[in-house]
Each structure stands twice: as structure tokens, then as C-alpha cells.
Amino acid sequence: MGDSSGDSVSIDIETITFSGKEYLVKTGRGNFVSVAVVGDQDKPALITYPDLALNYMSCFQGLFYCQEASSMLVHNFCIYHISPPGHELGAFAMNPDEPALSVDDLVDQIVDVLDYFGLGTVLCMGVTAGAYILTLFAMKYTRRVMGLILISPVCKAPSWTEWLCNKVMSNLLYFCGMCSLVKELLLVRYFSKGVRGSAEVPESDVVQACRRFLGERQSPNVLRFLEAMNERPDITDGLRKLKCRSLIFVGENSPYHSEALHMTSKLDRRFSALVEVQACGSIVTEEQPDAMLIPMEYFLMGYGFYRPSKFNVSPRSPLSPTSISPELFSPESMGLKLKPIKTKI
């Protein structure tokens, strides 16, 4: 267990900081995993896991820079941002002689992280590849997961199309590094066409920032995570056995939209709900983080978590009174298609 005395980050709710104290946790496979801890470590734990080639700065920054969402999460949780091996800021290229890690190895690393910090049951939030890893973690270590917030998740083995695309990307990473073509393939994976721009419309700021982040990644490290995900098994059969509550977000323009729908159909309807976000790609946390606010707030209310009182005056908060017509806050007016499924509290 890690010594957490004096290591927790002081959070001023008016000036919420996104960066936290960085830890390097040695795992059972000999690899070190970077964990950024934000908040009071005496609070319940929320762990995050990003998508391929990203880390918490490039995958969850939009959500945590959204003041209302961030205040709700930091008010209720201590956040542990786990990066895949070699994906942290300033990472060095991993030794090619190190054994390759499977998705099961990555899941077991999460257990090592939880044990290091002395954490019992945690809430999990992951994006696409990270959502798969956390779902598998919830299956293997059921008693350590209180709930899942999954963004554009996958649960099946790669289709032939995805497998071939990943093989092309793997060869490019091996021979050319993080070249322009690899960046474009990844940006198509992450974002909708509307924000990626065109000859007439420039790229959005979020895409430009992500492109810069990708330029800082070590291609051998990205290649290892990509190969692990390209060999992932189908975990569909285990979804029905999950008893923790699950909230799934997916962008309508995400390449994994149909897979998210498939995953939702296989989950126990008593414990799961789906939110489709219109005109959005895979990384809803970056492209449309505001769309996550109300569904997430209702989801967390089921556990007894609430927005801090000083933010209860927000008209977007379901916990506060408002004199504005409720129709203005309907899912349709916010660009959302909600498919609520009854959940047990």
C-alpha cells in the first residue's frame, strides 16, 4: 500500500485543478503504471482509463474542465487517472525486449494500483479501449466495482475491418512512428466529421489539441496497447452477469456506435442505461462533455452522491428548482436521445 499521508491534492471548489499528484506504481508484471491522483484520498474512489494513444489529459480534460461536471465529481470522489503503460506525459519508449501485455494483464495492473492505494470498491469511467479494460475488470473482480460509466465501449472481438485497420496502423507505427496518417486514423476513431474539419471548415480546437498530444506519444508504447486490443477476446457472454450499475454514452457518429448498442442489449436491463449523443464521435468527454452532465448526475444520485450546494442554483441541475420551462431541458433540446432503463438503487 502506498503512503498517502500528505499526498492528497487540496481542491478549491472554485478553482478546480485537473492535474494531480503523479505516482508510478510497480505492477506484478514488472511494468510501472502512472496514476494521477486528484482530490481527497479519504473520499470514495473514481478510476479512469483512456482510449488508445491517449492519457487522462487528452481523454478527460474536456469533462473535467466543464465546471459543473468537475465540481460534482471532485466534490464526491478522489479521482485516480490510470494511464496505459507508456502513455503518461513525458513517457520514454518502452524496452522492446519487455514481454507484450494482454488485456488480462492490463486488468491485473488495475488491481495492483487499487492495492497500492488501499482502495476497496471503486467507480470506473473508461473510453472505448479503456471502457473494454474496465468492463473486463468488473467481470473478473466483481466485488471491487460499484458502477461503470462507459463512453463508446466495445465488448466484441475486433471485426475483420477493425482488425485489418489496426494491422495497418501497427505497421505504420512500427516503421514510420506517429506519422500523419496514423494521427488521421486515430482522429477518425475519436471525433465526428463535423469537428475534424474539411477544406472549407477548419479543425476545432479540441481536435487540434488532440493532434498535438498524439505528436508527443511514443509510438512503440502505443503499438503495444493497440496490439493488446487487437487480440482482445469477445466478452459479450459475461455482460449479463454484471450486477453493478452501468451508464453508457455513445456518439451517434462513433465508429463504435453499433457495438455500444449491442453491449447495452446484452447488459441486465435492471442495472443499465444508454445515452446516445447526437452529432458526436467516440470521445464524448472531449467533444460534447456537457451532454454527460444530467445523465451522470441522475446516475450518481442512485449512490447517494450529489452536486455541491453552491452549484445547486444551476438551471441544468436536476437537483435544483428552476423557473425556466422544463421543456427547454428535455433530452431532445440538448441534442440527446435517452434510452432509460430501470435501475435498482
Side-chain angles (χ1 to χ4, degrees):
M1 174 177 171
D3 180 10
S4 60
S5 59
D7 289 330
S8 59
V9 179
S10 176
I11 299 294
D12 180 350
I13 205 66
E14 294 181 354
T15 56
I16 296 168
T17 178
F18 180 57
S19 60
K21 181 175 177 60
E22 296 272 354
Y23 294 82
L24 283 178
V25 179
K26 189 171 183 178
T27 66
R29 288 299 301 267
N31 302 86
F32 284 89
V33 173
S34 174
V35 184
V37 181
V38 181
D40 182 352
Q41 290 180 265
D42 290 330
K43 293 181 178 181
L46 166 66
I47 65 172
T48 71
Y49 210 100
D51 192 16
L52 173 71
L54 302 177
N55 54 39
Y56 75 98
M57 288 294 292
S58 49
C59 196
F60 299 101
Q61 183 171 252
L63 178 64
F64 282 87
Y65 275 3
C66 174
Q67 188 180 40
E68 290 180 321
S70 183
S71 66
M72 177 172 60
L73 294 174
V74 175
H75 175 73
N76 290 294
F77 299 97
C78 179
I79 296 105
Y80 297 80
H81 296 292
I82 303 174
S83 293
H87 280 55
E88 67 272 12
L89 294 172
F92 294 101
M94 299 175 70
N95 189 333
D97 295 330
E98 291 185 27
L101 297 177
S102 67
V103 289
D104 285 293
D105 293 328
L106 296 174
V107 165
D108 292 338
Q109 287 183 339
I110 297 175
V111 179
D112 292 332
V113 169
L114 267 56
D115 291 343
Y116 177 86
F117 290 104
L119 303 176
T121 306
V122 299
L123 184 68
C124 302
M125 179 187 294
V127 177
T128 309
Y132 178 93
I133 297 297
L134 293 178
T135 303
L136 184 57
F137 171 69
M139 290 179 179
K140 291 184 67 175
Y141 302 95
T142 306
R143 296 187 178 183
R144 305 200 74 166
V145 178
M146 72 168 77
L148 293 168
I149 301 175
L150 307 175
I151 297 93
S152 303
V154 294
C155 63
K156 294 188 287 187
S159 64
W160 281 109
T161 304
E162 183 190 350
W163 184 89
L164 182 59
C165 179
N166 288 344
K167 279 298 181 183
V168 170
M169 202 185 317
S170 295
N171 287 329
L172 287 170
L173 285 166
Y174 184 81
F175 292 107
C176 307
M178 187 60 74
C179 60
S180 297
L181 181 53
V182 172
K183 291 180 184 177
E184 291 303 323
L185 290 172
L186 288 171
L187 291 173
V188 169
R189 172 190 177 102
Y190 302 151
F191 300 109
S192 65
K193 187 175 181 180
V195 296
R196 294 201 312 271
S198 62
E200 296 79 22
V201 182
E203 285 182 343
S204 69
D205 291 341
V206 67
V207 175
Q208 292 179 26
C210 187
R211 189 185 293 276
R212 290 193 296 270
F213 271 115
L214 291 175
E216 299 170 1
R217 299 282 71 78
Q218 295 285 353
S219 54
N221 306 350
V222 176
L223 176 59
R224 283 171 170 268
F225 193 15
L226 176 60
E227 290 179 336
M229 286 302 298
N230 212 30
E231 300 297 327
R232 70 183 185 266
D234 190 323
I235 57 174
T236 301
D237 291 342
L239 294 176
R240 184 69 65 178
K241 300 175 184 177
L242 280 178
K243 297 305 178 185
C244 64
R245 298 175 63 208
S246 304
L247 175 62
I248 296 177
F249 294 91
V250 64
E252 279 196 326
N253 303 130
S254 167
Y256 304 103
H257 179 262
S258 61
E259 183 131 356
L261 300 185
H262 166 78
M263 183 172 181
T264 305
S265 70
K266 299 302 180 181
L267 287 167
D268 192 324
R269 291 176 177 268
R270 296 173 298 168
F271 306 113
S272 58
L274 171 69
V275 180
E276 293 180 76
V277 185
Q278 294 178 350
C280 188
S282 297
I283 310 185
V284 183
T285 51
E286 290 294 309
E287 192 169 341
Q288 292 195 38
D290 286 342
M292 299 179 64
L293 179 62
I294 290 178
M296 234 177 16
E297 190 163 359
Y298 278 115
F299 181 74
L300 294 178
M301 285 171 62
Y303 295 97
F305 297 119
Y306 294 91
R307 185 194 300 273
S309 58
K310 71 181 298 178
F311 285 97
N312 280 356
V313 296
S314 167
R316 287 188 292 177
S317 170
L319 306 181
S320 62
T322 175
S323 58
I324 303 176
S325 172
E327 287 76 12
L328 294 179
F329 306 115
S330 65
E332 293 77 10
S333 68
M334 297 181 65
L336 302 178
K337 289 201 309 184
L338 299 183
K339 293 185 177 179
I341 301 172
K342 289 184 179 180
T343 58
K344 282 190 175 181
I345 299 175

